[in-house]
Amino acid sequence: MTELVLTEKNNHILTVRINRLDRKNALTHDMYTALGDAIEQAQNDSDIRCLLYTGSEDCFTAGNDLGDFAAGLPGDFEDTPVGRFLFLLATTNKPIVAAVNGPAVGIGTTMLLHCDLVFAGNNTHFQMPFANLGLCPEGGSSLLLPSWLGRVRAAELLMLGDAFTADDALRMGLINRACKPAQTETAALEACTRLAAQPPAAIRATRELLNRATAEELKTTMLAEGKLFAERLKSPENAEAITAFTEKRKPDFSNFS
Ligand code: COA
C-alpha cells in the first residue's frame, strides 16, 4: 500500500489518483505496483465498470522517478512493477479514461496510448524524452505511434523528444478534448459516468476488439522495448542525462560514439 496512489470507488467508477505532488507525481516502483493493483481490482470486481486515471489540476505525472532509474529493471520486464502495470493496462478489458493536466511526461504520455478516452487541460505538457535521457521508447509507443500518426511524426516525438501541448495532441488524435484545467476531471468523470451506464459486456467486447488487431504485436514490441530499455538504463548516456538533471544543467553527449 502506498499513499502516493489513491483509489476510490464510486458509482461503478474506480478513480486512481497519482498523489506525489512534491515530486511532480514521479512514479516509483511502489507506485507502479499500486497502479497495477488498481487494474487487477477493477478486473476482479464486476461492480467496477470503468477506471479513471488522474492526478491534480497542475500535474498528471513527470514520468518515472529519475532516482529509481539507477536501480535498473531487474529480471523479466513483464514481472517488474512498471512492466506488470503496462501489460495490465494494455490487456484489461475494462474501459479506461484519463484526465491529465500539467506534466504528462514519459510514461505519463505513453500510458495514455492504452486509454480509451483522454481529456487534457490546456496546461498539459506532453513529452516522451526517452532518447534525450539515453533511453528508448516504451509502453508500445514504438509500435502504436507510427501506425497512428505516421512514421515521421512518431520519429519527431520519440527522437527529438520535444514537449507538445493539448492542442497539438488533439490535432494528432491522441486526446479527445482539450479543457480548462479546472474542468478536465469533471469532463472525464462525465465520460466515465456515461461509460458506466452503457451495457458493460458490450463495452468490454468493444475494448477487446479495438485492441485485438495489435494485441500480439504489442506484446512482442513491449517485451523488446523493455529489454532494450533495461540495457539503456545501464548506459553511460543515461548516466550523463540523469547526472545533468540532478545538477540542473544540460546533458553533454558530445563525447559518446
Ligand atoms: N523523478 C524524480 N524527481 C522529479 C521528477 C522525476 N521524473 N520530475 C520532477 N522531479 C522533482 C524535481 O527534481 C524537483 O525536485 P526539487 O524540488 O528537489 O528540485 C521537483 O520534482 C519539482 O520539479 P521541477 O523540475 O522543479 O518542476 P518544473 O515545474 O520546473 O518542471 C518537469 C516539471 C516535469 C518539466 C520537470 O520536472 C522534468 O522535466 N522532470 C523530469 C521528467 C522526466 O524526464 N521524466 C522521465 C521520463 S522517462
Side-chain angles (χ1 to χ4, degrees):
M1 276 294 281
T2 169
E3 291 297 305
L4 305 179
V5 174
L6 306 173
T7 55
E8 188 185 353
K9 185 176 132 180
N10 233 328
N11 299 324
H12 308 293
I13 300 159
L14 185 69
T15 298
V16 184
R17 188 179 304 282
I18 308 170
N19 179 41
R20 194 190 180 208
L21 288 170
D22 60 329
R23 280 279 173 269
K24 298 281 169 188
N25 284 348
L27 298 168
T28 62
H29 299 309
D30 284 351
M31 291 166 76
Y32 284 123
T33 299
L35 292 173
D37 289 348
I39 300 174
E40 279 192 338
Q41 179 190 344
Q43 198 64 48
N44 296 330
D45 182 348
S46 59
D47 195 45
I48 297 175
R49 293 184 170 198
C50 178
L51 280 129
L52 170 63
Y53 281 100
T54 193
S56 74
E57 218 172 287
D58 304 312
C59 184
F60 183 53
T61 172
N64 206 100
D65 186 287
L66 291 173
D68 266 19
F69 270 158
L73 279 178
D76 293 334
F77 176 69
E78 65 269 40
D79 297 328
T80 61
V82 61
R84 170 179 170 261
F85 165 59
L86 283 170
F87 274 100
L88 284 166
L89 190 67
T91 57
T92 180
N93 61 11
K94 296 280 170 117
I96 306 176
V97 177
V100 312
N101 290 307
V105 181
I107 197 167
T109 295
T110 56
M111 66 177 278
L112 304 176
L113 307 180
H114 305 284
C115 295
D116 301 297
L117 299 172
V118 180
F119 297 81
N122 45 31
N123 62 346
T124 307
H125 158 155
F126 294 100
Q127 191 178 11
M128 292 175 284
F130 303 112
N132 313 45
L133 291 167
L135 299 171
C136 68
E138 45 98 273
S141 54
S142 63
L143 172 73
L144 299 176
L145 288 173
S147 76
W148 294 355
L149 309 182
R151 176 71 167 70
V152 293
R153 202 165 243 178
E156 183 179 349
L157 297 180
L158 291 170
M159 288 183 172
L160 296 180
D162 289 338
F164 55 99
T165 64
D167 281 341
D168 296 331
L170 190 62
R171 256 194 308 277
M172 289 187 278
L174 292 175
I175 64 169
N176 296 84
R177 201 189 305 167
C179 310
K180 289 189 178 140
Q183 290 164 10
T184 312
E185 196 172 321
T186 310
L189 204 51
E190 277 169 15
C192 290
T193 305
R194 289 186 59 198
L195 279 172
Q198 290 282 71
I203 292 294
R204 292 196 299 276
T206 304
R207 181 167 155 96
E208 280 169 12
L209 287 166
L210 282 168
N211 288 342
R212 183 171 168 270
T214 49
E216 271 311 303
E217 213 181 342
L218 183 63
K219 185 177 176 197
T220 315
T221 302
M222 278 167 56
L223 288 175
E225 288 172 345
K227 188 165 179 285
L228 208 55
F229 200 98
E231 286 168 22
R232 302 282 334 143
L233 280 175
K234 295 183 211 144
S235 69
E237 292 177 355
N238 178 243
E240 162 58 10
I242 300 297
T243 307
F245 181 78
T246 316
E247 293 174 356
K248 298 191 191 289
R249 62 168 172 83
K250 267 185 180 285
D252 176 6
F253 300 117
S254 59
N255 287 326
F256 293 102
S257 55

